[in-house]
Amino acid sequence: MKKESHFYQQWNKKAEQKSKASRTHSSEDRLNEKQEKILTARVSGVSIVGNVFLSAFKLVAGIFGHSSAMVSDAVHSLSDVLTTVIALIGVKAAKRGADAEHPYGHDRFECVSSEILAILLLVTGAGIGLSGIRTVAAGNYDVLEIPGILPLIAAIVSIASKEAMYHYTKACAKKLRSSAFMADAWHHRSDALSSIGSLIGVAGARAGFPVLDPLASVGISVFILKVAVDIFRDAIRKMTDTACDEEYTEEMRQYIISQEGVARVDLLQTRMFGEKIYVDVEIAVNAHMELEDAHEIAERVHDGLEQSFDNIKHVMVHVNPYEA
């Protein structure tokens, strides 16, 4: 799970410091508002319907197959339904335009939804872990029922289904540039990993080690808690005006200095605003240049940055005089 959480963190880092080629997109490559709405509804529908059927199947398999690990896994899948709904609400709220109360837009609402999602994952993981720990601590392993074959089948189906949902949701999250849906994708991955734990626990219990079934529940809770912490930390980082990384900033600086008429970059500051980026830049131009020409250079820098770098919400350009 450490490796998987690392990959989650790496995705968010790469979202800020992609290569210059991947940041530069034509307008045709970007989804318009209608396409975003369709894709958002599609990925949400697939996640909700898939999780409802999967959680019901695993719950039945866990109850009738006498597997506490599978019941815990079913609860985890059921929580996916709620987290997908939260992610959907967050994405829709973030897409709302500016108004009198929110002149800078609603982009941070998506971070709020990610934080709520992370808290729900923490509660779910803690509950599953405590239940498993109590069973293990009781020590009455001889009275634990041996799981049937149905939980084994459910675990295999869950692993395949959740891994497929992870890849699909992740691909859609990249197209939508949505941290909430990316968090939802990693929830699917954590569910797939927890099902692997269920598979090991059920198989071990059937092989004569009944304690492995509740131990699997404890392992599942660890997976869930780790992903929850990573999601929460990323959401906090995007809500606290964190600057973009040095590679991204330097790439932007080189772009600005390459523009005709720009003699020097005196200041370049960036800050994350949800999934978007605000840029403040001060450029130096020839002090004897006409005001209209200086303004044209500033406009060229402003428009060029917004068109050439993904996720930039607004650029503020200030012009300083420069004596050659």
Side-chain angles (χ1 to χ4, degrees):
M1 189 58 214
K2 183 177 180 181
K3 184 177 181 181
E4 302 302 336
S5 297
H6 173 71
F7 287 160
Y8 173 79
Q9 294 166 350
Q10 286 300 305
W11 177 86
N12 288 291
K13 184 178 181 181
K14 288 177 182 178
E16 300 172 11
Q17 57 178 36
K18 292 181 292 184
S19 66
K20 191 171 186 178
S22 64
R23 286 198 190 104
T24 307
H25 298 287
S26 64
S27 59
E28 290 79 6
D29 294 330
R30 299 174 182 175
L31 298 178
N32 57 41
E33 185 176 351
K34 182 178 180 181
Q35 290 172 323
E36 286 185 349
K37 287 182 178 179
I38 293 174
L39 188 57
T40 298
R42 185 181 301 160
V43 67
S44 302
V46 168
S47 181
I48 292 173
V49 174
N51 281 317
V52 167
F53 281 100
L54 195 58
S55 59
F57 177 44
K58 289 196 286 189
L59 186 61
V60 171
I63 294 174
F64 290 96
H66 310 294
S67 171
S68 62
M70 187 50 61
V71 172
S72 299
D73 207 6
V75 173
H76 188 194
S77 293
L78 194 59
S79 70
D80 279 359
V81 178
L82 182 58
T83 56
T84 299
V85 172
I86 292 173
L88 177 61
I89 293 173
V91 170
K92 286 192 173 182
K95 296 299 181 185
R96 291 168 56 192
D99 54 32
E101 293 184 351
H102 304 90
Y104 293 97
H106 300 75
D107 300 273
R108 283 180 174 161
F109 276 71
E110 191 167 352
C111 294
V112 174
S113 72
S114 292
E115 289 175 352
I116 296 173
L117 189 155
I119 292 171
L120 288 173
L121 280 175
L122 283 169
V123 173
T124 301
I128 291 173
L130 288 174
S131 178
I133 290 172
R134 289 194 192 100
T135 302
V136 173
N140 299 322
Y141 308 140
D142 294 336
V143 300
L144 294 177
E145 294 186 88
I146 303 300
I149 192 66
L150 190 57
L152 273 179
I153 297 173
I156 295 172
V157 171
S158 178
I159 293 169
S161 301
K162 297 301 291 187
E163 188 65 14
M165 292 173 70
Y166 159 73
H167 286 289
Y168 175 72
T169 306
K170 181 181 178 182
C172 293
K174 286 184 176 181
K175 291 181 180 179
L176 293 167
R177 299 191 294 277
S178 167
S179 63
F181 275 127
M182 182 57 70
D184 197 33
W186 280 96
H187 197 178
H188 292 319
R189 169 57 68 84
S190 72
D191 208 356
L193 292 172
S194 71
S195 293
I196 294 176
S198 298
L199 181 63
I200 295 172
V202 173
R206 287 177 57 81
F209 302 96
V211 70
L212 288 181
D213 191 59
L215 274 177
S217 294
V218 177
I220 290 169
S221 71
V222 174
F223 296 153
I224 299 171
L225 292 173
K226 186 63 173 71
V227 171
V229 170
D230 288 337
I231 292 172
F232 190 82
R233 288 176 61 187
D234 178 68
I236 290 295
R237 183 177 62 84
K238 290 178 178 177
M239 290 191 69
T240 52
D241 288 345
T242 304
C244 296
D245 60 272
E246 292 182 6
E247 181 183 342
Y248 185 99
T249 305
E250 182 58 28
E251 206 168 284
M252 194 177 295
R253 185 187 304 277
Q254 293 302 320
Y255 177 87
I256 296 170
I257 201 67
S258 68
Q259 301 303 303
E260 183 180 356
V262 177
R264 187 179 63 214
V265 177
D266 292 333
L267 175 71
L268 177 58
Q269 294 179 329
T270 61
R271 61 187 178 94
M272 299 293 294
F273 189 85
E275 288 301 300
K276 301 297 184 179
I277 300 170
Y278 277 84
V279 181
D280 295 318
V281 56
E282 292 186 12
I283 59 173
V285 302
N286 192 322
H288 305 288
M289 182 179 292
E290 293 289 337
L291 175 60
E292 186 175 344
D293 295 332
H295 176 73
E296 183 180 340
I297 294 172
E299 284 290 296
R300 188 162 59 247
V301 171
H302 173 278
D303 296 343
L305 286 174
E306 290 192 344
Q307 293 171 8
S308 300
F309 290 79
D310 275 350
N311 287 358
I312 289 183
K313 183 179 180 69
H314 181 67
V315 178
M316 179 67 72
V317 182
H318 178 80
V319 178
N320 294 327
Y322 173 74
E323 291 288 347

